């Protein structure tokens, strides 16, 4: 049975208070097998928020977002295009690792989170948006994009373009931010032509660099 993180939200909605409260969240069943909650990381008032799907195996162990192979690729690309990471807030729409055990060994295999789990975790993401108030939300992958902009949003149609806050965004997600959608860095690592996929991903994120440089 899936509930909601709403009952775990603190009265004070600072990032520190939200992170502390999220550590004991049992709003959906993912907490039972995950090592810990993986909350977002970055400073309040970051101008750009990068949003992925969920933490992976390494993130679940370390307790920080984007520290596994996909995260290292993301950080390398941001460094390559001279994005100041102090202007970035990193998070996921789901805060616990969803996985299934491998048939042999101890490896944990990523599982796509259910719609009910994404919905249950949504109050944490809404709280982060309210606390950070970014100018730009960058959705990494189709799951993050549809979680933010609604099921009708198509990454293939809007990839790489900075859009005004879509009308399909729920009223529970606060702020007057723009939206940029691209692939998840994990998709780059899985691509048959990794060089081309990385170049296209880099080109998408140059929009972030241009926004920050234009201040």
């Amino acid at each position: 049975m899936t509930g909601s993180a709403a009952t775990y939200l603190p009265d004070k909605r600072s990032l520190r208070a939200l992170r502390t409260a999220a550590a004991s969240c049992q709003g959906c069943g993912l907490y039972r097998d995950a090592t810990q909650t993986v909350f977002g990381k970055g400073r309040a008032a970051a101008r750009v928020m990068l949003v992925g799907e969920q933490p992976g195996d390494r993130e679940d162990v370390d307790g920080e977002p984007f520290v596994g192979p996909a995260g290292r690729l993301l950080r390398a690309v941001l460094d390559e295009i001279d994005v100041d990471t102090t202007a970035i807030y990193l998070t996921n729409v789901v805060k616990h690792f969803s996985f299934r055990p491998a048939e042999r060994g101890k490896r944990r295999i990523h599982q796509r989170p259910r719609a009910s789990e994404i919905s249950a975790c949504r109050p944490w993401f809404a709280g982060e948006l309210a606390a950070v108030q970014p100018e730009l939300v960058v959705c990494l992958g189709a799951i993050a994009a549809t979680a933010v902009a609604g099921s009708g949003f198509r990454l293939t149609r809007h990839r790489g373009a900075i859009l005004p806050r879509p009308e399909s965004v729920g009223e529970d997600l606060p702020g007057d931010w723009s939206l940029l959608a691209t692939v998840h860095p994990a998709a780059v690592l899985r691509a048959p032509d990794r060089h081309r996929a990385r170049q296209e991903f880099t080109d998408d994120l140059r929009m972030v660099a241009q926004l920050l440089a234009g201040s």
Side-chain angles (χ1 to χ4, degrees):
M1 179 178 179
T2 300
S4 172
T7 57
Y8 297 88
L9 291 174
D11 293 333
K12 184 179 180 181
R13 301 293 173 87
S14 67
L15 284 178
R16 178 177 294 180
L18 288 166
R19 183 177 293 107
T20 299
S24 59
C25 183
Q26 298 180 11
C28 77
L30 291 180
Y31 80 92
R32 295 188 183 95
D33 296 320
T35 303
Q36 59 191 313
T37 302
V38 182
F39 203 72
K41 184 175 182 180
R43 63 184 181 86
R47 296 181 60 196
V48 179
M49 179 178 284
L50 270 61
V51 186
E53 172 194 318
Q54 63 164 319
D57 180 81
R58 191 69 254 164
E59 289 80 6
D60 175 69
V61 172
D62 290 356
E64 293 190 7
F66 293 98
V67 293
R72 290 194 294 272
L73 171 62
L74 174 63
R75 294 170 191 274
V77 169
L78 291 174
D79 183 64
E80 179 182 323
I81 60 178
D82 296 322
V83 168
D84 180 3
T85 54
T86 63
I88 301 294
Y89 184 88
L90 293 167
T91 193
N92 290 289
V93 293
V94 173
K95 311 302 188 194
H96 284 113
F97 181 31
S98 176
F99 66 92
R100 63 177 174 84
E103 293 183 5
R104 296 182 179 180
K106 297 182 179 180
R107 192 164 66 95
R108 302 184 298 176
I109 301 172
H110 167 279
Q111 290 278 88
R112 178 174 177 167
R114 299 183 179 95
S116 59
E117 294 161 346
I118 295 172
S119 178
C121 209
R122 190 176 175 92
W124 295 123
F125 176 59
E128 289 173 303
L129 274 175
V132 177
Q133 300 183 32
E135 297 174 31
L136 179 67
V137 173
V138 181
C139 291
L140 302 172
I143 292 177
T146 55
V148 172
S151 59
F153 187 88
R154 294 292 177 265
L155 175 60
T156 52
R157 182 183 306 167
H158 299 295
R159 177 181 176 177
I162 293 183
L163 307 171
R165 187 181 189 273
E167 294 182 1
S168 56
V169 172
E171 294 181 359
D172 61 318
L173 297 184
D176 184 21
W177 34 267
S178 299
L179 178 71
L180 171 67
T182 184
V183 298
H184 195 281
V188 176
L189 296 176
R190 296 191 301 266
D193 187 343
R194 189 180 296 185
H195 176 77
R196 178 179 177 181
R198 176 177 172 139
Q199 187 58 57
E200 292 173 345
F201 180 61
T202 301
D203 290 343
D204 290 342
L205 290 184
R206 287 189 196 280
M207 304 292 286
V208 175
Q210 291 172 12
L211 172 72
L212 294 174
S215 59

